[in-house]
Amino acid sequence: MQRFRTYRTTQEIRDRYAEVSLSVSDFIYPYFVIEGEGIKQEITTMKGIYRLSVDYLLDDIRELVTRGIDKILLFGVIPDHKKDERGSEGTSPDSIICRAVSAIKTHFPAITVFTDICLCEYTSHGHCGLIRRQDVDNDTTLPLLAEMAYRHAAAGADFVAPSAMMDGQVQAIRQRLDKAGLPTRILGYSAKYASAFYGPFRNAAGSAPSFGNRKTYQMDFRTIGQGLDEIAADVEEGADWIMVKPAMSYLDMVQRASVRFPDHPLVAYQVSGEYAMLKHGAKAGFFDEKRIFFESLTAIKRAGANYIISYYAKDFVNI
């Protein structure tokens, strides 16, 4: 008989034998940035998460820095009157994200800024690219994604993160950045699944599709090999970091990606629905919130993620 219980008798012994540990440096904290001044709107579907105008964003980042978190991901929240079929606001040098990046880099130059590159928040139809015959037109969307990435990079973004799941998006962006002589790196949303767990985010960013769904370009969750092939394609096209999204329901893909691509930093995104599920479950008294989010984040790291995008990043620091 092997005596395994001796590894678990006290907290000190359990800590000694722990093989996975989380650090504040593991986290990337996501922000929703909105037009205007003096705005802090709590997102009804994501308790404790807010849409922030740039002035409030800077205040929040100041607090974030004191907690030791030094990496953030920005999403733009665009008023309907600025949306059009081409997502023109997304490629404007004066877009809300360009202004936010510039302000952040002025006040907090040490913060690593990631920006999301996708048309879904900017188009009137809410899809990730240009629409033709009720579907997304892959190739005509690529130049717009590349131009958006260029604008963000020129404003000072450290990473641009294409999330549209258009074939060839990383290559198009890499070529545009290289042409401009910008050193900005690319975090590919490489294996992004068509998931029901994105629901709260679409409310937060105002990007719900006005028709259909995104299953024609985001990955079918019943597949395995396609995810690895998508990552390989991003790597070949010039991605510096890679991602699996969502995280908690796709830990097997996180693990596979970490083994297959050990030379590329791997990010896993604990998405809005996963966050909301834990939040609401804790509020209902089903479990202790600190224990459940710490366990979930540890599982993501254990699966092989180098970095975790999570709305729980601040809470982790307070454990």
Side-chain angles (χ1 to χ4, degrees):
M1 180 193 303
Q2 296 188 57
R3 297 288 186 180
F4 292 104
R5 290 183 58 191
T6 56
Y7 302 126
R8 308 162 192 159
T9 52
T10 68
Q11 185 63 49
E12 180 182 9
I13 291 173
R14 291 191 291 273
D15 289 343
R16 186 189 310 161
Y17 286 101
E19 297 173 78
V20 178
S21 62
L22 290 166
S23 167
V24 67
S25 63
D26 297 334
F27 291 102
I28 302 169
Y29 189 72
Y31 280 110
F32 297 94
V33 192
I34 194 168
E35 299 275 3
E37 294 182 3
I39 300 174
K40 183 178 181 179
Q41 299 175 345
E42 185 168 28
I43 298 165
T44 57
T45 53
M46 299 172 66
K47 183 175 175 56
I49 306 300
Y50 299 85
R51 302 181 190 94
L52 302 173
S53 55
V54 172
D55 52 337
Y56 271 109
L57 173 67
L58 295 176
D59 288 342
D60 205 87
I61 291 174
R62 188 169 290 108
E63 177 191 354
L64 198 74
V65 170
T66 66
R67 296 173 185 232
I69 299 173
D70 62 357
K71 293 178 284 294
I72 62 174
L73 171 62
L74 302 181
F75 296 96
V77 181
I78 310 303
D80 288 344
H81 72 271
K82 286 195 171 186
K83 297 179 180 181
D84 60 29
E85 292 185 358
R86 292 183 59 83
S88 303
E89 183 66 15
T91 57
S92 167
D94 193 44
S95 71
I96 184 61
I97 292 300
C98 289
R99 283 181 276 130
V101 170
S102 179
I104 292 165
K105 281 301 181 180
T106 297
H107 292 87
F108 307 100
I111 285 282
T112 300
V113 179
F114 298 73
T115 63
D116 182 74
I117 305 297
C118 186
L119 295 185
C120 61
E121 290 89 13
Y122 300 90
T123 58
S124 51
H125 53 71
H127 280 279
C128 297
L130 299 184
I131 295 296
R132 177 184 293 179
R133 301 193 183 104
Q134 294 294 95
D135 197 8
V136 173
D137 190 317
N138 190 98
D139 292 4
T140 59
T141 298
L142 295 180
L144 297 184
L145 298 176
E147 186 65 15
M148 185 186 300
Y150 162 70
R151 294 298 184 186
H152 292 185
D158 300 285
F159 282 83
V160 290
S163 63
M165 289 300 285
M166 296 293 106
D167 295 337
Q169 62 184 8
V170 170
Q171 178 176 292
I173 290 170
R174 173 57 69 201
Q175 290 174 349
R176 183 67 179 92
L177 296 178
D178 288 350
K179 180 180 178 180
L182 293 168
T184 310
R185 289 174 285 176
I186 299 174
L187 163 61
Y189 279 67
S190 305
K192 179 180 178 182
Y193 287 85
S195 172
F197 284 104
Y198 302 149
F201 174 92
R202 289 174 183 166
N203 170 268
S207 62
S210 58
F211 65 89
N213 54 54
R214 295 174 179 163
K215 292 183 178 181
T216 62
Y217 47 94
Q218 293 178 358
M219 289 176 49
D220 190 315
F221 56 77
R222 297 170 295 182
T223 63
I224 297 172
Q226 285 182 29
L228 298 175
D229 290 344
E230 289 269 8
I231 296 172
D234 275 6
V235 168
E236 183 178 351
E237 291 178 17
D240 300 282
W241 292 15
I242 55 178
M243 186 195 298
V244 172
K245 177 185 180 184
M248 290 167 56
S249 297
Y250 297 82
L251 293 178
D252 63 313
M253 292 306 300
V254 175
Q255 198 276 332
R256 288 184 173 97
S258 70
V259 172
R260 175 86 174 268
F261 304 97
D263 297 329
H264 282 71
L266 174 61
V267 179
Y269 196 153
Q270 187 183 48
V271 300
S272 59
E274 295 169 327
Y275 170 82
M277 182 172 61
L278 300 184
K279 271 285 181 185
H280 288 291
K283 184 178 180 181
F286 297 147
F287 38 69
D288 178 274
E289 187 174 9
K290 286 185 178 180
R291 289 182 61 191
I292 200 70
F293 80 68
F294 185 78
E295 181 179 339
S296 69
L297 295 171
T298 302
I300 297 168
K301 179 87 178 278
R302 189 182 65 233
N306 301 109
Y307 299 98
I308 303 170
I309 302 171
S310 176
Y311 304 95
Y312 268 119
K314 289 182 181 180
D315 299 87
F316 167 77
V317 177
N318 292 332
I319 292 180

